[in-house]
Amino acid sequence: MKEESKVKKITVKLVVWALVLFWCVVSFLPFFFMVMATFKEQFELLMGGVFKLPEKLYLDNYIEVFTGNIWNYLKNSVIVLVISLTVLLFISACASYPLSRFKFKLNKPIYSLIVACMSVPIHVTLLPIFLMAVRTNFYDSIWALIGPYIAFNLPISIFILVTFMQGIPKELEEAAEIDGCGKYRMFWSIMFPLVKPGLATLAIYNSVNMWNEFSFALTLTQSAENRTLPLAIWEYQGQYAMNVPMIMTVLVVSVLPMIIAFIFGQDKLIKGMMAGAVKG
């Protein structure tokens, strides 16, 4: 019986590792093709194999991209991301505290309404938000993107932070109240530091969504000087419809900041996910 159980465990491990290896290969191949294509000329890519290594490192694609308007797109994306993410995390933390710790009549209706907003599709709101941006003179500016980015990422952020705060022991607040700590100081001195793993998780999650967002950026901006990085990909694709290496170069440049951010923030993301799992 022991030998059979050992054989089963070994078999299960082999199957799991085989599936993991298969998934890694499937996930890595598109990225490998994208990077390799950036170092090829158009003729070399069309005549050679798809996954064939480049004969030489052709850097003109990167030179042409970096000497173009890519820096303006990058600047706009960074400005929108930093402002939207800062305001989003602040509002989420302030809203989650009373919803998770206070008892009042409208607690559950308000929380249910916020959770229900998670099911609202973005495309349904494109026309109303477009008309609002035109009437408020925010159309064709990066400031028009901040409001929608905050609004559509707010429900999921509040939902996650409420779960985090509900897992914090109430004895901490009771001890602080005995010492004369008020609600505002209790939030900033006790609750806010304790939900930093959740805030870090939300920061990474929402950063990826905002950085890659395309629909609102296309609808609410028109001129090249006000567009964000995802629209740079769209414009380069239109300008170089047959130049696949150039399109792949723009994709690599746009993905690189998120890869770097994930490398430096993956430990915080994992800690936040584990903390949320334990508290849930």
Side-chain angles (χ1 to χ4, degrees):
M1 295 297 291
K2 293 183 178 180
E3 293 181 357
E4 292 181 359
S5 61
K6 289 182 179 180
V7 172
K8 289 182 180 179
K9 290 181 179 179
I10 295 174
T11 304
V12 171
K13 288 183 179 180
L14 291 176
V15 172
V16 170
W17 279 108
L19 293 175
V20 170
L21 181 62
F22 174 75
W23 180 253
C24 290
V25 172
V26 172
S27 302
F28 179 74
L29 281 179
F31 183 76
F32 176 78
F33 163 71
M34 182 172 65
V35 175
M36 289 298 101
T38 62
F39 296 106
K40 296 180 181 179
E41 298 184 56
Q42 176 71 359
F43 182 78
E44 180 184 356
L45 181 66
L46 295 176
M47 297 301 297
V50 176
F51 297 104
K52 183 181 178 181
L53 296 176
E55 297 178 358
K56 62 177 182 178
L57 293 180
Y58 184 74
L59 301 177
D60 287 1
N61 294 326
Y62 287 95
I63 294 174
E64 186 171 350
V65 168
F66 283 114
T67 54
N69 201 31
I70 193 70
W71 295 109
N72 183 61
Y73 292 117
L74 181 62
K75 179 196 69 175
N76 292 337
S77 291
V78 171
I79 293 175
V80 172
L81 175 62
V82 171
I83 297 177
S84 301
L85 190 61
T86 303
V87 177
L88 172 64
L89 295 179
F90 176 76
I91 296 177
S92 301
C94 293
S96 301
Y97 179 53
L99 290 174
S100 61
R101 314 302 284 189
F102 297 169
K103 293 182 179 180
F104 53 95
K105 292 183 179 180
L106 296 179
N107 188 309
K108 290 185 178 180
I110 293 176
Y111 183 67
S112 300
L113 180 61
I114 293 174
V115 174
C117 290
M118 295 169 55
S119 62
V120 177
I122 293 178
H123 301 88
V124 174
T125 64
L126 287 177
L127 181 58
I129 292 178
F130 169 77
L131 295 176
M132 185 184 300
V134 172
R135 292 173 182 174
T136 55
N137 295 324
F138 279 109
Y139 176 70
D140 195 20
S141 68
I142 60 175
W143 311 110
L145 303 175
I146 296 176
Y149 285 4
I150 295 173
F152 277 93
N153 290 286
L154 193 60
I156 182 65
S157 300
I158 293 177
F159 176 75
I160 293 175
L161 280 184
V162 166
T163 304
F164 266 83
M165 290 186 179
Q166 287 176 343
I168 298 176
K170 294 183 179 180
E171 289 76 10
L172 295 175
E173 293 178 281
E174 294 174 355
E177 287 181 355
I178 294 174
D179 293 335
C181 184
K183 295 296 183 182
Y184 291 101
R185 186 179 177 184
M186 191 180 301
F187 170 72
W188 290 110
S189 300
I190 298 177
M191 301 298 294
F192 192 79
L194 290 176
V195 296
K196 282 184 178 179
L199 292 174
T201 303
L202 289 177
I204 299 173
Y205 173 78
N206 290 318
S207 294
V208 174
N209 290 337
M210 294 178 184
W211 188 264
N212 296 325
E213 203 282 322
F214 183 85
S215 299
F216 282 120
L218 177 63
T219 304
L220 301 178
T221 58
Q222 183 177 10
S223 59
E225 60 184 18
N226 291 317
R227 286 186 164 176
T228 54
L229 202 55
L231 293 182
I233 301 172
W234 178 66
E235 287 194 359
Y236 276 103
Q237 187 175 357
Q239 186 177 357
Y240 303 97
M242 296 299 295
N243 195 339
V244 179
M246 181 64 68
I247 297 173
M248 295 301 171
T249 304
V250 179
L251 287 172
V252 170
V253 172
S254 63
V255 170
L256 191 60
M258 287 293 100
I259 295 178
I260 296 174
F262 180 78
I263 291 175
F264 286 99
Q266 61 178 336
D267 56 335
K268 295 182 180 179
L269 178 63
I270 294 173
K271 288 180 181 178
M273 294 175 63
M274 293 300 295
V278 172
K279 291 178 181 179

